[in-house]
Every structure is written in structure tokens, then in C-alpha cells.
Amino acid sequence: MKRRDFLLTTGAGLGAASLGGLGVASSAINQTESIRYDLTVQNAQYGLTDTITKDMVSVSPDAPPPVLTGRQGQPMAVNVTNSLPEYTAMHWHGLRIPNAMDGVPYLTQVPIGESETYPYAFTPPDAGTYWYHPHCMTMGQMARGLTGVLVIEEPVNPGFDADQVVNLRDFRLNDDGSFLPVFTGRGAARGGTLGNLHTANWLTRPTYDHTAGSLLRLRVVNTDTARVHKLYLSAAEAKIIAWDGHPTLDPITLPTAQKPLLVGPGQRVDIALQMPEHEGQFIELIAKLPGQPKVIASLRAIGATKNRSLRALSALTPNPVAAPNLRTAQTHEFVFGWSPDESTPNNGICGSLGYTFWSINRIPWAGDAAKGTGPLATLERGQSYILKLRNESPYTHPIHLHGLSFLPLRSNKRRLRRNWTDTTLLLRGETVEIALVADNPGDWAFHCHIIEHQKTGLAGYIRIN
Ligand code: C2O
Ligand code: CU
């Protein structure tokens, strides 16, 4: 397979012409200067444990991928240079941007070769918490560290004194700090291969200092390749204000040890917190893990209290996502399950795990450069749709759709919160219906965010004409 053998040509070249449909209020676009970042994907080393771990992947030689900050309605230019001797491509998870900027090899762009630069340029239509990760050599590069958080600020700060990003990542390490194999065939065919070192921002149990009594926006992002986290906070004045980037419409109650919040790979939660009143008091972010709950990060109050109250925050303004018309919506069904036969994946240059275990609608995705694979569904631009997602397997799948936000409607197993999202958990035996307006044209990747599932067949794409 030659690198320039595009799978498809329809998606390419839509580029900036497709910006129109997303309905950003023109008043939000008052700054024309681009926010610019230059990122070089490279090998890194870092002290994840007492010994330095080599063979990590980041955008600097000795630090985790930084939090990138953009602003709703303001153009961003992110030049991604590849200095690795393998291919890459960068995806902006959750951003509703033009297809050509989506970073999916063979669907929206040619992979970025060694010493090449891809000039990503887009205007985020939505404020909130998003993230970035490679979509070529996805397993190896993500597992070795290349997952970063992308904060898109509201045009006006809703009243926080500070922001704290917590990027949740597990790594799979030997005792000497070197990497264990980043995936296993056994894990790929089951729930995914879990890491053995739990980190927040590449640190084990970090403590972050914030002024006592101040208002903090905690942005928790699960960028792990496999783990569905069950999270809660130690007692605090707190409120969940956003889910998967978007302000909550259907309130999510604050999780507890008994009822933790499920946050799957790819998902995000924003929590408004009032820091404790007294210096030295803590709020802990706790993960329920097999065995014992673990403190993943702590927030420590410092200084004299600011005495702020959560009531002082203004409500977040909803993002301009079009509401689907459920009466006219057509339904498409998708079945997530095993691969129907012993089909072998192709050896696309974006990396193959060597197995095909999974499928969508009985079609296993054969690899990044799968030839002759059509869309799982073709949607008409501007129309409303219901997608019925059925999990035939006994494992949980965080199902992610690129380029659009959707609303979970109902499940056969539980009450779903009707909040805009781009990634929804599909539990064992669960059928979930989601609704959306197909307002962003292009070929949009649709896959499980357990990367071993994605890379062994549980992937495809949806076309919007
Ligand atoms: Cu966050 Cu196709 O991925
Ligand atoms: Cu999956």
C-alpha cells in the first residue's frame, strides 16, 4: 500500500468550504488572529516511576503533551511536524471542524511522514474540554504518551478563579520503568489491555495548590487507551457543569463512592469546585479500581480564603449544536460485535495489531488504508437521524463519532443523561439510541475508543453528503 493511495476522494478537499453549517453566532467571531501552536511529535523520556521511562512519545523531549488553549470562534493554526521514523496524524477529539482538518489517515488526509509538517487550521465552534491524539500508529503512540488536552475557552470567563486539567492515563510498565507490550491479543479480544501505573498529567498522585475558598474549574479527561474510569470526589462543594465538552442540559449528580461516575476513554467531565476554606485542606479525585479506590490527584487549599461561592458562577452558554427533529429523523442501525470470519487486517502504514476480532455491522475495519470499504451509512446534510447502537458483545465499548455532537436518547438498560456528546458508553448487552443533525459534511470516523478494539476491526465511517 502506497501512502498516497487515498481510500476515498470525496472527503478530501471539502476544507474550509464546509465551515458554514455549524452556526457559530457571528458575534463570537470577533478575533481574526489565529492562535498558533507548533508541535513536533517526537520521542521523549520521563520519570513516570523512580527510573526514567524511555521510548515515550510527546511533543517535547521531557514533558507530557501540553494543554493547548483555544477560544470559541477564534481560528487556531496547529502545525504538526513528525520527527519519528514512523507515520503519524493528529486528531482533535470532539471538535466539530471541517473534515479535512480531522486528522484521520486515508479518510481525510495522507499520513504525516518523517520530517513532514501538516498545517492544521480550524475555528472551534464550541467551548469546552476536548483533547488531541494521533490517529495513525494510534496504539503505539497513544500508549507511549501522546494524548493531550485541548481547552476551548468561552468568550467570557464564567467566573472561575482558576482551571485545573487532569489528564488520566495508565501506562504499562515493567519494574525497571520500561514499557511492557502496549497491547495483548488477549486484551484486544476482550475488554482491552489495562495499564498498571495510574497517572494524572503523567504524575502519580499529584497535588495541585489552589487558593482557599476560590472557584476552580476541574477538567477531568480520560485519554486512556482502555480503562473505563469510575470516579468520585471526596466531599466538596462541587457541581458538574459540562460533559464531553458541552454544558450539561440534563444535570449529572455529583458522584459518590457508592455511585461513581463512569468516564470512558475519550470522555470528559468539567466540575465547578469551591476550594476548602482552610489552608491545607484537600479535595481528592478518587478512582474506584479493582481492589482499592485510589487517589488519582489532590487539590490543596492554600493561603487566606477567597470566600467565593458556587452561586457566583454564571451558567455556561450552550454551544451552538443544532437540535435534531425526532419526528422526521430516519433511523440507522449499527451492531457492534465479533468479526464474522478469520479475515486478516491489511498492513497499512499506520500500524496493524495483526488481528481482526471486531466488527461494525459485521464488517471488520481492515486497517487504516482499507481499500474498497464503503461508509457504514450515508446521511443527507441538514437532516436529523437516530442511530441505534447495539452491543452484541459482553464488553463495554466507548463509541466515538468524529466531527459531530449527538444526544443520547434512550437505552434498554439505564436512564441516559441527555447531554451533547461525541463518545457514548455502550455497556454489555446494551442498545443505545442517539440523535443528531448531519450538519457537517465529510467522511467521519466512527469507532470504539478502546484502541485495541478500534485497531482490530471496531471502526468504520459515516458519510455526510
Ligand atoms: Cu479520539 Cu477517532 O478518536
Ligand atoms: Cu470497544
Side-chain angles (χ1 to χ4, degrees), residues 396-397 448 450 453 458:
T396 298
H397 303 285
C448 180
I450 290 176
H453 293 173
L458 226 165

Side-chain angles (χ1 to χ4, degrees), residues 91 93 131 133 135 400 402 447 449:
H91 171 57
H93 183 121
W131 63 293
H133 63 81
H135 227 282
H400 173 46
H402 286 212
H447 62 84
H449 227 292

